[in-house]
Each structure stands twice: as C-alpha cells, then as structure tokens.
Amino acid sequence: MRFARPELLWLLLIIPVMAMWLVAGITRRRRSLERFAAGPLVGQLVTAAPLGRLVFKMILLVVGAAFLLIAAARPQWGTTLEQVSRQGVDVMVAIDISESMLAEDIKPSRLGKAQEEASRLFDRLHGDRVGLIAFAGSAGVLCPLTLDYNAARIFLDSMTPDMISYPGSSLGSAIRTAVQAFGAEQRKFKVMLLLSDGEEQVDPEEVGRAAQEAAAQGLVIHTIGLGTPSGEPIPTHGQDGQVVGYKKDRDGRVVTTRLDESTLSRISQMTGGLYLPATAAEGELDRVAEAIGGMDKKEMQARLMTQYEERYQVPLAIGLAALIAEALISGRRRVKPRAAARTAKAAMVGLMAMMMAASTPLFAESVAGLVAEGNRLYKEGKLTEALEKYKHAESLGPAVPALHYNIGNVLYKQGEFDKAYDEYRQAFAAGERDLAEGARYNAGNSHFARKNWPDAIRNYQEALRMNPSDMDAKKNLELALLQMQEEKKKQQQKKQDQNKDDKNDQKDEQQNQQPKEQNKSPQDSGAPKPREQKTPGGEKERISREEANRILDAMKEQDRPPKDQLKTPPPDRRPEKDW
C-alpha cells in the first residue's frame, strides 16, 4: 500500500492531542458537576449521559477524524489499468554525435549540452510523441516515436560518438531519416528539433535539397546551434577519460571546429521553424516548446499504466460511519424518542449504509484476479482459456509489463512467434529486473524459432548483460551463433554451386543433406522453451562472470546494440573532414 499524499499523514499527530483534549473536557465536566451537587442529587438534577456513553462518543469522534485524515492522504493498493486519449504532435529530436560535438566551448561539451537540452525539452512536452535520431556521417533512428519519455531518455543517455562508424557530419542525412521516420501519410502534426554545431562535412548541397523535401512533406524543423563561432579544438581522450591531446587533420594541424549558424538558420527558414543558439539559461527550449504547443494537434491513443488503484473510499466510509454514529448517540440520558426523531435516525443509518456500499469497491472486477486465473490455466496447459483471461484483464486498460510477458508466453506456445515477440518487447522496460531479463530471453527464443539469428543473438546478449550467470541464455546464445555460422556457410556454398551445372548441383545437394540430418540434435530441431516469469531467490546453475564477460566481449564488435539498432546506411563517399 502507498499514499498519493503521504505528507498529510503528519496531521495524524493531531489525533492524540485531540483525544487528550476530549478526555480533559470530560474530566472537567464531571468535576464541575461534583462541585455543584452531591452524587445522588446530580442524577436527579442533570440529564447528562453516563460516563461510559460519553467515552464511547469520544472514541467514535477520534476514530472518525483519524480515518478521514487517512482518506485525505489517498491510500492506494492494487493496480488499475486505463486507456488515455491524448492530443499532440510527433516530435523527432535529431542529435549530432560526430566528433566535433566533443568540443568543450560550451559545458560540459556540445554533445553533453545537446543531451541536456533534449531531456529538458521532454519535460516541457505534454501528450506529444517523441523519437530520437543520432547522426554523424550517416543517420539512423535510435528510438522510434513513443509517449514513454523515460524510455526515450534511456536511449538519449546512451548516445556516444562511436555509435555510428561513418565519420563526418551529414545534416542532410539526418533530415531525410526524419522524413522517412514520419512517413508521408500526413503533412502536418510533424516537427523536428535538430541539435548540432551546423558543420556539414559530407555534402553541403544535400542539406538544401533535404530541407526542401522536408518542407514539401509538412515537416517543421527547429534548429539549436551548439558551440561558438570562434570555435574550439576537439579533444581526444585516453582510456581513463582524461584529455591526452587534440584531433589533427591529415596535414598534422590541430582541428578547430566552429558553430555554423548560417546552415542551421537556412534549414529552419526553409521549413518554417526557428533557429536558436544554445544558452546557459535555456530560454531557447521555452520558445521551441511554445512553438510546438501552438501547432495543430492530432488525436493520439496512448497506453498508460496507473500503478496503484485509489482506495480512499474505504477509510472515508469508516470515518463517516464513525462520525454519523457519534452524532446519533445522544449526550443526554435516554428518553423516549419522538416518532419523527426515530424516523430521522433510521434515514441517517440507511444513508450511511448506502454510502459505505457505494464507497467500498467490493464488487469491482479485479484485474489481479483475472491474471491469477490466467496463470493457473496456463500452468494447466489450457492456453486458449489463459489467453482469454489475460486479454480480458488487458481490455480493462493498458497492460502492465508482467501481463504483456504472460500473453507473450501463451502466444509463443501457440506458435505465434511474431506476436509473442511484440508482447515481450513491451516488457523490456519493466522496472523488475528479473522480468525484463526473462522478456529478453524469451524474445531471443521467438527470433530463434523464426531462424532470425542476429536478433536472437542480440536478445540473448541483452539477457546475459542483465544476468551474466544465466546458463540458459549462454547455451542458447552459443547455439544461435552456431546456427548463424552454418547458415552463412550454406549461403556461400550455394553461391559456389551456381557456377556448376545442374547435375553437379543435385549431386552436391544430396551429399550435403545427409550429414545435416545425422547431426541434427534435439536442440536444433525446434525453438527453445519459453521461460516462465522468474521469482527472486530461486537456485540457478551459474557460470563464472569471467566466462560471461568473455562471451560478451567476443561479440562486442559483431553486435554493438546501438549500431544494430541504428542500421545506418553508408554515405556515398567518406568525407575528407572526419569530424
């Protein structure tokens, strides 16, 4: 259980003070009566209720006040899911990660400043989808359009100049990549924020052509210039992160990189956007956010999870019931009530009962109950029924990562590997590490079943990075590597066989098929089994951290996640200025 406004719980300190004040009041009253007359005479002259009834009224008053304060703090427990409709625009943020962005003429560096500005722009956006593009000599989408700003920040923080192997800086490539990412279905609701020092090292003429195409597609480009016109050398760093020198050109001269405001301003003018230099006060972000906020909005459907369900109704009902009961108990001696008074009291009690029934969500259908029932059916092998329960829970609102994970497991066992991977992918960012690692592992299994070896390898590696002692992920990674190598050999052999006549092709094919069937193992014949959701504390077979690191390091160059995600096309020619 949690409280939405826990600071209000400090008001509970008033309750003991209130109780002591009421006790003191009753004590003073009794003493005053004793001074007024002797004990037997008091009973004849005063109609006050007995002491026990007054104490009971005091307890009801204190309890009612305490529960009303608890209700004001909004207790929450259980999860609830809801689908929210939003209005907004699509914002693609393109960040220059070329070597020139390492210059430190603005602090902490041009690239560091660009990351800070992008992150703080996310804070100023409301209901807009955001995406990320990284570019140097070529460009690629690092994070597709999403409403999950936290997920976008994870990709933003991972940006480094070595993400893209093609050197230089191609603004035109970044613009064209953004145009392709948005698509041509709509000619509005699209905006791009370009954060760069403006140096175009690949093809200066391409920048103008790309900006014209963007304007024709209705894309508005705002640019923010990073750096100073006077320029700064580009530092080079050693393994310890310390500056060991400065970048030099082919003639051995130290390179000075300068902010090119004219290029950035021209891009913005051609597309109807703003050009603003980066400042320490970050006023440029306010202007960009204001410009985005003034654009026409489109309807967006977003799946958002509300972590906890409001349960303030329960303490509110208890508090009101206690106060109503306290009001119904007379502070005087019991006398025969009038009919009207009896009717009023009965009506108040009935009203109290209806309030309690309406306030307490006893009859609300429980999402957690549906998930638990689905888990039971899944374990019994009743996959169709389990999927129905999970889908029913999902229909009550967007699914939590664990629900996506469970749906993925059912779809995997039903052979729907593409759909299963889509569900696992939505569980990647789960806050629970075991769940995220299990989703990566099973996503690898989904790709394995489709013989998509590169993606299977990538997901197994991610699972190993999260848990280096995962023996299952290690074995499946090695198996996927072996399968990929064998497939490459077959492709090479097929190319060689194309140069032979048909008779030799058939003979070679027969020779290659027989040992493949003989060497087929149970692991090769099908996809690995999906892993159920993990629980902490279970015993697992462990591998040494050194062995896990060896596997990961061996694949580092073959499968660097940022490069695989970007899939940037090579430029037509390598620039002479590679910064």
Side-chain angles (χ1 to χ4, degrees), residues 401-417:
L403 185 53
H404 282 300
Y405 182 91
N406 292 344
I407 293 174
N409 283 348
V410 174
L411 294 172
Y412 182 93
K413 285 196 172 184
Q414 291 180 335
E416 300 284 348
F417 301 120

Side-chain angles (χ1 to χ4, degrees), residues 4-262:
R5 301 193 63 187
E7 66 276 7
L8 294 181
L9 294 177
W10 288 103
L11 295 177
L12 290 174
L13 295 175
I14 299 174
I15 298 302
V17 178
M18 176 182 175
M20 289 187 292
W21 179 76
L22 291 173
V23 169
I26 294 175
T27 302
R28 287 194 304 270
R29 183 178 182 182
R30 301 300 296 184
R31 289 177 179 174
S32 298
L33 289 174
E34 290 174 357
R35 289 196 299 268
F36 176 71
L41 186 59
V42 171
Q44 298 177 7
L45 298 177
V46 181
T47 60
L51 178 61
R53 193 189 303 176
L54 294 177
V55 172
F56 185 59
K57 283 173 60 68
M58 181 196 71
I59 292 174
L60 288 176
L61 187 61
V62 171
V63 170
F67 275 93
L68 287 181
L69 288 175
I70 293 174
R74 292 171 52 195
Q76 301 169 334
W77 66 83
T79 58
T80 182
L81 308 168
E82 59 181 9
Q83 186 147 347
V84 180
S85 177
R86 292 188 175 185
Q87 285 189 336
V89 297
D90 292 334
V91 182
M92 189 65 75
V93 179
I95 296 182
D96 188 348
I97 61 170
S98 61
E99 284 192 71
S100 64
M101 294 292 287
L102 296 177
E104 299 177 354
D105 44 1
I106 56 175
K107 299 299 180 183
S109 67
R110 295 179 182 177
L111 179 57
K113 180 66 172 178
Q115 291 171 305
E116 291 176 1
E117 299 239 329
S119 180
R120 287 167 183 165
L121 176 66
F122 295 163
D123 296 333
R124 290 167 167 82
L125 299 178
H126 302 285
D128 304 299
R129 293 196 302 175
V130 297
L132 283 175
I133 290 176
F135 71 96
S138 60
V141 176
L142 185 60
C143 176
L145 291 167
T146 179
L147 278 164
D148 190 343
Y149 295 169
N150 290 330
R153 282 190 177 91
I154 293 174
F155 288 99
L156 179 65
D157 294 340
S158 69
M159 283 188 173
T160 56
D162 61 351
M163 268 185 159
I164 297 178
S165 59
Y166 305 107
S169 180
S170 176
L171 299 171
S173 178
I175 296 172
R176 290 186 186 278
T177 301
V179 171
Q180 294 173 359
F182 283 121
E185 292 81 6
Q186 296 176 324
R187 295 186 178 273
K188 57 181 181 178
F189 315 124
K190 300 183 293 187
V191 62
M192 176 182 180
L193 176 63
L194 182 64
L195 295 147
S196 173
D197 53 22
E199 287 192 323
E200 170 61 44
Q201 310 289 21
V202 178
D203 188 352
E205 296 181 358
E206 177 68 11
V207 178
R209 293 193 295 267
Q212 289 178 349
E213 293 178 8
Q217 293 294 328
L219 176 59
V220 177
I221 302 179
H222 303 298
T223 58
I224 292 181
L226 297 148
T228 58
S230 58
E232 183 84 3
I234 303 172
T236 56
H237 301 85
Q239 295 182 352
D240 57 355
Q242 300 297 320
V243 176
V244 296
Y246 293 93
K247 185 174 182 61
K248 299 180 180 180
D249 59 17
R250 296 180 179 180
D251 297 329
R253 293 173 296 188
V254 174
V255 171
T256 299
T257 174
R258 296 177 174 83
L259 170 64
D260 186 352
E261 294 186 291
S262 61

Side-chain angles (χ1 to χ4, degrees), residues 257-314:
T257 174
R258 296 177 174 83
L259 170 64
D260 186 352
E261 294 186 291
S262 61
T263 299
L264 296 175
S265 179
R266 181 162 60 99
I267 293 172
S268 296
Q269 289 177 357
M270 294 177 67
T271 58
L274 302 172
Y275 165 70
L276 301 164
T279 61
E282 297 181 349
E284 63 276 8
L285 294 180
D286 294 329
R287 293 188 60 184
V288 171
E290 182 180 353
I292 294 174
M295 297 177 64
D296 292 336
K297 309 290 185 181
K298 68 176 179 178
E299 290 288 339
M300 293 183 179
Q301 289 294 329
R303 286 189 157 187
L304 298 177
M305 181 184 71
T306 302
Q307 291 286 348
Y308 294 92
E309 189 171 354
E310 295 283 353
R311 301 293 188 183
Y312 66 89
Q313 303 94 332
V314 175

